[in-house]
PDB file of all heavy atoms in Angstrom:
ATOM      1  N   ALA N 195     -15.224  27.571 -27.109  1.00 94.00           N
ATOM      2  CA  ALA N 195     -15.136  26.518 -28.130  1.00 94.00           C
ATOM      3  C   ALA N 195     -14.832  25.159 -27.511  1.00 94.00           C
ATOM      4  O   ALA N 195     -15.482  24.161 -27.838  1.00 94.00           O
ATOM      5  CB  ALA N 195     -14.066  26.870 -29.155  1.00 94.00           C
ATOM      6  N   THR N 196     -13.857  25.105 -26.586  1.00 92.00           N
ATOM      7  CA  THR N 196     -13.488  23.792 -26.034  1.00 92.00           C
ATOM      8  C   THR N 196     -14.578  23.199 -25.153  1.00 92.00           C
ATOM      9  O   THR N 196     -14.829  22.003 -25.217  1.00 92.00           O
ATOM     10  CB  THR N 196     -12.187  23.840 -25.216  1.00 92.00           C
ATOM     11  OG1 THR N 196     -12.251  24.933 -24.338  1.00 92.00           O
ATOM     12  CG2 THR N 196     -10.987  23.968 -26.091  1.00 92.00           C
ATOM     13  N   SER N 197     -15.227  24.039 -24.320  1.00 89.00           N
ATOM     14  CA  SER N 197     -16.213  23.446 -23.413  1.00 89.00           C
ATOM     15  C   SER N 197     -17.479  23.016 -24.153  1.00 89.00           C
ATOM     16  O   SER N 197     -18.045  21.966 -23.845  1.00 89.00           O
ATOM     17  CB  SER N 197     -16.520  24.383 -22.235  1.00 89.00           C
ATOM     18  OG  SER N 197     -16.835  25.661 -22.685  1.00 89.00           O
ATOM     19  N   VAL N 198     -17.914  23.803 -25.159  1.00 91.00           N
ATOM     20  CA  VAL N 198     -19.049  23.349 -25.969  1.00 91.00           C
ATOM     21  C   VAL N 198     -18.648  22.072 -26.712  1.00 91.00           C
ATOM     22  O   VAL N 198     -19.408  21.095 -26.759  1.00 91.00           O
ATOM     23  CB  VAL N 198     -19.512  24.442 -26.971  1.00 91.00           C
ATOM     24  CG1 VAL N 198     -20.534  23.889 -27.950  1.00 91.00           C
ATOM     25  CG2 VAL N 198     -20.109  25.629 -26.234  1.00 91.00           C
ATOM     26  N   GLY N 199     -17.425  22.059 -27.250  1.00 90.00           N
ATOM     27  CA  GLY N 199     -16.914  20.878 -27.938  1.00 90.00           C
ATOM     28  C   GLY N 199     -16.908  19.649 -27.039  1.00 90.00           C
ATOM     29  O   GLY N 199     -17.286  18.559 -27.466  1.00 90.00           O
ATOM     30  N   ALA N 200     -16.508  19.844 -25.774  1.00 84.00           N
ATOM     31  CA  ALA N 200     -16.444  18.713 -24.832  1.00 84.00           C
ATOM     32  C   ALA N 200     -17.833  18.112 -24.602  1.00 84.00           C
ATOM     33  O   ALA N 200     -17.986  16.890 -24.544  1.00 84.00           O
ATOM     34  CB  ALA N 200     -15.831  19.164 -23.506  1.00 84.00           C
ATOM     35  N   ILE N 201     -18.845  18.982 -24.481  1.00 83.00           N
ATOM     36  CA  ILE N 201     -20.206  18.477 -24.278  1.00 83.00           C
ATOM     37  C   ILE N 201     -20.689  17.752 -25.535  1.00 83.00           C
ATOM     38  O   ILE N 201     -21.234  16.651 -25.462  1.00 83.00           O
ATOM     39  CB  ILE N 201     -21.172  19.627 -23.900  1.00 83.00           C
ATOM     40  CG1 ILE N 201     -20.767  20.223 -22.544  1.00 83.00           C
ATOM     41  CG2 ILE N 201     -22.613  19.120 -23.849  1.00 83.00           C
ATOM     42  CD1 ILE N 201     -21.602  21.397 -22.097  1.00 83.00           C
ATOM     43  N   VAL N 202     -20.457  18.372 -26.712  1.00 87.00           N
ATOM     44  CA  VAL N 202     -20.848  17.740 -27.982  1.00 87.00           C
ATOM     45  C   VAL N 202     -20.172  16.376 -28.113  1.00 87.00           C
ATOM     46  O   VAL N 202     -20.815  15.380 -28.462  1.00 87.00           O
ATOM     47  CB  VAL N 202     -20.473  18.649 -29.185  1.00 87.00           C
ATOM     48  CG1 VAL N 202     -20.652  17.912 -30.506  1.00 87.00           C
ATOM     49  CG2 VAL N 202     -21.312  19.916 -29.173  1.00 87.00           C
ATOM     50  N   GLY N 203     -18.878  16.315 -27.775  1.00 82.00           N
ATOM     51  CA  GLY N 203     -18.130  15.063 -27.845  1.00 82.00           C
ATOM     52  C   GLY N 203     -18.739  13.982 -26.970  1.00 82.00           C
ATOM     53  O   GLY N 203     -18.918  12.844 -27.397  1.00 82.00           O
ATOM     54  N   ALA N 204     -19.097  14.373 -25.729  1.00 77.00           N
ATOM     55  CA  ALA N 204     -19.692  13.402 -24.803  1.00 77.00           C
ATOM     56  C   ALA N 204     -21.032  12.898 -25.334  1.00 77.00           C
ATOM     57  O   ALA N 204     -21.361  11.721 -25.214  1.00 77.00           O
ATOM     58  CB  ALA N 204     -19.857  14.029 -23.421  1.00 77.00           C
ATOM     59  N   LEU N 205     -21.811  13.821 -25.954  1.00 80.00           N
ATOM     60  CA  LEU N 205     -23.119  13.434 -26.493  1.00 80.00           C
ATOM     61  C   LEU N 205     -22.979  12.516 -27.713  1.00 80.00           C
ATOM     62  O   LEU N 205     -23.842  11.699 -27.980  1.00 80.00           O
ATOM     63  CB  LEU N 205     -23.927  14.682 -26.880  1.00 80.00           C
ATOM     64  CG  LEU N 205     -24.411  15.564 -25.730  1.00 80.00           C
ATOM     65  CD1 LEU N 205     -25.013  16.859 -26.261  1.00 80.00           C
ATOM     66  CD2 LEU N 205     -25.433  14.827 -24.867  1.00 80.00           C
ATOM     67  N   LEU N 206     -21.865  12.690 -28.452  1.00 80.00           N
ATOM     68  CA  LEU N 206     -21.671  11.906 -29.684  1.00 80.00           C
ATOM     69  C   LEU N 206     -21.117  10.504 -29.416  1.00 80.00           C
ATOM     70  O   LEU N 206     -21.042   9.691 -30.331  1.00 80.00           O
ATOM     71  CB  LEU N 206     -20.710  12.640 -30.616  1.00 80.00           C
ATOM     72  CG  LEU N 206     -21.267  13.855 -31.362  1.00 80.00           C
ATOM     73  CD1 LEU N 206     -20.164  14.514 -32.166  1.00 80.00           C
ATOM     74  CD2 LEU N 206     -22.424  13.448 -32.276  1.00 80.00           C
ATOM     75  N   THR N 207     -20.724  10.236 -28.161  1.00 72.00           N
ATOM     76  CA  THR N 207     -20.167   8.922 -27.844  1.00 72.00           C
ATOM     77  C   THR N 207     -21.141   7.837 -28.276  1.00 72.00           C
ATOM     78  O   THR N 207     -22.318   7.883 -27.952  1.00 72.00           O
ATOM     79  CB  THR N 207     -19.902   8.774 -26.333  1.00 72.00           C
ATOM     80  OG1 THR N 207     -19.300   9.967 -25.874  1.00 72.00           O
ATOM     81  CG2 THR N 207     -18.987   7.599 -26.038  1.00 72.00           C
ATOM     82  N   GLY N 208     -20.666   6.873 -29.017  1.00 70.00           N
ATOM     83  CA  GLY N 208     -21.532   5.784 -29.444  1.00 70.00           C
ATOM     84  C   GLY N 208     -22.242   6.064 -30.762  1.00 70.00           C
ATOM     85  O   GLY N 208     -22.785   5.166 -31.384  1.00 70.00           O
ATOM     86  N   ILE N 209     -22.263   7.332 -31.190  1.00 77.00           N
ATOM     87  CA  ILE N 209     -22.913   7.663 -32.459  1.00 77.00           C
ATOM     88  C   ILE N 209     -21.876   7.756 -33.574  1.00 77.00           C
ATOM     89  O   ILE N 209     -22.028   7.194 -34.650  1.00 77.00           O
ATOM     90  CB  ILE N 209     -23.689   9.004 -32.360  1.00 77.00           C
ATOM     91  CG1 ILE N 209     -24.771   8.910 -31.282  1.00 77.00           C
ATOM     92  CG2 ILE N 209     -24.326   9.360 -33.715  1.00 77.00           C
ATOM     93  CD1 ILE N 209     -25.427  10.242 -30.955  1.00 77.00           C
ATOM     94  N   LEU N 210     -20.797   8.479 -33.243  1.00 73.00           N
ATOM     95  CA  LEU N 210     -19.766   8.731 -34.251  1.00 73.00           C
ATOM     96  C   LEU N 210     -18.696   7.654 -34.212  1.00 73.00           C
ATOM     97  O   LEU N 210     -18.296   7.194 -33.152  1.00 73.00           O
ATOM     98  CB  LEU N 210     -19.133  10.094 -33.950  1.00 73.00           C
ATOM     99  CG  LEU N 210     -18.579  10.881 -35.122  1.00 73.00           C
ATOM    100  CD1 LEU N 210     -19.702  11.453 -35.965  1.00 73.00           C
ATOM    101  CD2 LEU N 210     -17.693  12.001 -34.592  1.00 73.00           C
ATOM    102  N   ASN N 211     -18.217   7.262 -35.383  1.00 73.00           N
ATOM    103  CA  ASN N 211     -17.129   6.302 -35.455  1.00 73.00           C
ATOM    104  C   ASN N 211     -15.811   7.006 -35.126  1.00 73.00           C
ATOM    105  O   ASN N 211     -15.392   7.903 -35.841  1.00 73.00           O
ATOM    106  CB  ASN N 211     -17.078   5.696 -36.856  1.00 73.00           C
ATOM    107  CG  ASN N 211     -16.088   4.554 -36.949  1.00 73.00           C
ATOM    108  OD1 ASN N 211     -15.356   4.292 -35.988  1.00 73.00           O
ATOM    109  ND2 ASN N 211     -16.063   3.887 -38.079  1.00 73.00           N
ATOM    110  N   PRO N 212     -15.152   6.621 -34.016  1.00 71.00           N
ATOM    111  CA  PRO N 212     -13.943   7.359 -33.621  1.00 71.00           C
ATOM    112  C   PRO N 212     -12.739   7.140 -34.540  1.00 71.00           C
ATOM    113  O   PRO N 212     -11.792   7.910 -34.486  1.00 71.00           O
ATOM    114  CB  PRO N 212     -13.656   6.846 -32.206  1.00 71.00           C
ATOM    115  CG  PRO N 212     -14.368   5.562 -32.081  1.00 71.00           C
ATOM    116  CD  PRO N 212     -15.500   5.563 -33.065  1.00 71.00           C
ATOM    117  N   VAL N 213     -12.786   6.117 -35.407  1.00 79.00           N
ATOM    118  CA  VAL N 213     -11.633   5.812 -36.270  1.00 79.00           C
ATOM    119  C   VAL N 213     -11.205   7.031 -37.078  1.00 79.00           C
ATOM    120  O   VAL N 213     -10.036   7.426 -37.093  1.00 79.00           O
ATOM    121  CB  VAL N 213     -11.968   4.645 -37.240  1.00 79.00           C
ATOM    122  CG1 VAL N 213     -10.893   4.485 -38.306  1.00 79.00           C
ATOM    123  CG2 VAL N 213     -12.107   3.354 -36.456  1.00 79.00           C
ATOM    124  N   PHE N 214     -12.179   7.660 -37.706  1.00 77.00           N
ATOM    125  CA  PHE N 214     -11.933   8.825 -38.535  1.00 77.00           C
ATOM    126  C   PHE N 214     -11.264   9.937 -37.717  1.00 77.00           C
ATOM    127  O   PHE N 214     -10.312  10.575 -38.160  1.00 77.00           O
ATOM    128  CB  PHE N 214     -13.263   9.299 -39.120  1.00 77.00           C
ATOM    129  CG  PHE N 214     -13.177  10.604 -39.835  1.00 77.00           C
ATOM    130  CD1 PHE N 214     -12.504  10.704 -41.046  1.00 77.00           C
ATOM    131  CD2 PHE N 214     -13.760  11.740 -39.300  1.00 77.00           C
ATOM    132  CE1 PHE N 214     -12.413  11.920 -41.699  1.00 77.00           C
ATOM    133  CE2 PHE N 214     -13.677  12.959 -39.944  1.00 77.00           C
ATOM    134  CZ  PHE N 214     -13.001  13.048 -41.143  1.00 77.00           C
ATOM    135  N   LEU N 215     -11.768  10.136 -36.498  1.00 74.00           N
ATOM    136  CA  LEU N 215     -11.234  11.189 -35.633  1.00 74.00           C
ATOM    137  C   LEU N 215      -9.794  10.916 -35.215  1.00 74.00           C
ATOM    138  O   LEU N 215      -8.952  11.809 -35.210  1.00 74.00           O
ATOM    139  CB  LEU N 215     -12.098  11.313 -34.372  1.00 74.00           C
ATOM    140  CG  LEU N 215     -13.222  12.322 -34.438  1.00 74.00           C
ATOM    141  CD1 LEU N 215     -14.031  12.280 -33.153  1.00 74.00           C
ATOM    142  CD2 LEU N 215     -12.671  13.724 -34.652  1.00 74.00           C
ATOM    143  N   TYR N 216      -9.534   9.652 -34.859  1.00 80.00           N
ATOM    144  CA  TYR N 216      -8.171   9.291 -34.470  1.00 80.00           C
ATOM    145  C   TYR N 216      -7.197   9.603 -35.603  1.00 80.00           C
ATOM    146  O   TYR N 216      -6.120  10.152 -35.386  1.00 80.00           O
ATOM    147  CB  TYR N 216      -8.087   7.797 -34.125  1.00 80.00           C
ATOM    148  CG  TYR N 216      -8.473   7.475 -32.703  1.00 80.00           C
ATOM    149  CD1 TYR N 216      -9.508   6.595 -32.415  1.00 80.00           C
ATOM    150  CD2 TYR N 216      -7.791   8.052 -31.639  1.00 80.00           C
ATOM    151  CE1 TYR N 216      -9.860   6.297 -31.104  1.00 80.00           C
ATOM    152  CE2 TYR N 216      -8.127   7.758 -30.333  1.00 80.00           C
ATOM    153  CZ  TYR N 216      -9.165   6.886 -30.071  1.00 80.00           C
ATOM    154  OH  TYR N 216      -9.505   6.598 -28.772  1.00 80.00           O
ATOM    155  N   LEU N 217      -7.583   9.250 -36.843  1.00 84.00           N
ATOM    156  CA  LEU N 217      -6.702   9.492 -37.988  1.00 84.00           C
ATOM    157  C   LEU N 217      -6.510  10.985 -38.204  1.00 84.00           C
ATOM    158  O   LEU N 217      -5.398  11.475 -38.393  1.00 84.00           O
ATOM    159  CB  LEU N 217      -7.285   8.837 -39.253  1.00 84.00           C
ATOM    160  CG  LEU N 217      -7.342   7.312 -39.238  1.00 84.00           C
ATOM    161  CD1 LEU N 217      -7.973   6.781 -40.516  1.00 84.00           C
ATOM    162  CD2 LEU N 217      -5.947   6.715 -39.054  1.00 84.00           C
ATOM    163  N   LEU N 218      -7.612  11.730 -38.139  1.00 79.00           N
ATOM    164  CA  LEU N 218      -7.562  13.173 -38.349  1.00 79.00           C
ATOM    165  C   LEU N 218      -6.634  13.847 -37.333  1.00 79.00           C
ATOM    166  O   LEU N 218      -5.758  14.637 -37.688  1.00 79.00           O
ATOM    167  CB  LEU N 218      -8.975  13.747 -38.241  1.00 79.00           C
ATOM    168  CG  LEU N 218      -9.129  15.220 -38.578  1.00 79.00           C
ATOM    169  CD1 LEU N 218      -9.002  15.443 -40.075  1.00 79.00           C
ATOM    170  CD2 LEU N 218     -10.477  15.734 -38.094  1.00 79.00           C
ATOM    171  N   PHE N 219      -6.821  13.496 -36.055  1.00 77.00           N
ATOM    172  CA  PHE N 219      -6.019  14.126 -35.009  1.00 77.00           C
ATOM    173  C   PHE N 219      -4.561  13.653 -35.062  1.00 77.00           C
ATOM    174  O   PHE N 219      -3.646  14.423 -34.791  1.00 77.00           O
ATOM    175  CB  PHE N 219      -6.630  13.872 -33.634  1.00 77.00           C
ATOM    176  CG  PHE N 219      -7.810  14.747 -33.369  1.00 77.00           C
ATOM    177  CD1 PHE N 219      -9.078  14.224 -33.254  1.00 77.00           C
ATOM    178  CD2 PHE N 219      -7.644  16.120 -33.273  1.00 77.00           C
ATOM    179  CE1 PHE N 219     -10.172  15.038 -33.029  1.00 77.00           C
ATOM    180  CE2 PHE N 219      -8.730  16.950 -33.051  1.00 77.00           C
ATOM    181  CZ  PHE N 219      -9.997  16.407 -32.928  1.00 77.00           C
ATOM    182  N   GLY N 220      -4.377  12.394 -35.435  1.00 84.00           N
ATOM    183  CA  GLY N 220      -3.015  11.884 -35.598  1.00 84.00           C
ATOM    184  C   GLY N 220      -2.264  12.681 -36.646  1.00 84.00           C
ATOM    185  O   GLY N 220      -1.124  13.109 -36.439  1.00 84.00           O
ATOM    186  N   LEU N 221      -2.930  12.941 -37.780  1.00 85.00           N
ATOM    187  CA  LEU N 221      -2.295  13.702 -38.854  1.00 85.00           C
ATOM    188  C   LEU N 221      -2.018  15.144 -38.428  1.00 85.00           C
ATOM    189  O   LEU N 221      -0.980  15.710 -38.742  1.00 85.00           O
ATOM    190  CB  LEU N 221      -3.171  13.674 -40.118  1.00 85.00           C
ATOM    191  CG  LEU N 221      -3.227  12.316 -40.824  1.00 85.00           C
ATOM    192  CD1 LEU N 221      -4.229  12.348 -41.974  1.00 85.00           C
ATOM    193  CD2 LEU N 221      -1.844  11.911 -41.337  1.00 85.00           C
ATOM    194  N   LEU N 222      -2.961  15.729 -37.678  1.00 80.00           N
ATOM    195  CA  LEU N 222      -2.778  17.100 -37.198  1.00 80.00           C
ATOM    196  C   LEU N 222      -1.542  17.191 -36.289  1.00 80.00           C
ATOM    197  O   LEU N 222      -0.760  18.145 -36.364  1.00 80.00           O
ATOM    198  CB  LEU N 222      -4.030  17.574 -36.450  1.00 80.00           C
ATOM    199  CG  LEU N 222      -3.973  18.998 -35.888  1.00 80.00           C
ATOM    200  CD1 LEU N 222      -3.855  20.022 -36.999  1.00 80.00           C
ATOM    201  CD2 LEU N 222      -5.199  19.305 -35.040  1.00 80.00           C
TER     202      LEU N 222
END
Side-chain angles (χ1 to χ4, degrees):
Chain N
T196 47
S197 51
V198 171
I201 295 177
V202 170
L205 291 172
L206 285 176
T207 316
I209 300 170
L210 209 73
N211 188 354
V213 169
F214 172 70
L215 268 177
Y216 275 122
L217 294 178
L218 186 73
F219 283 113
L221 289 174
L222 180 64

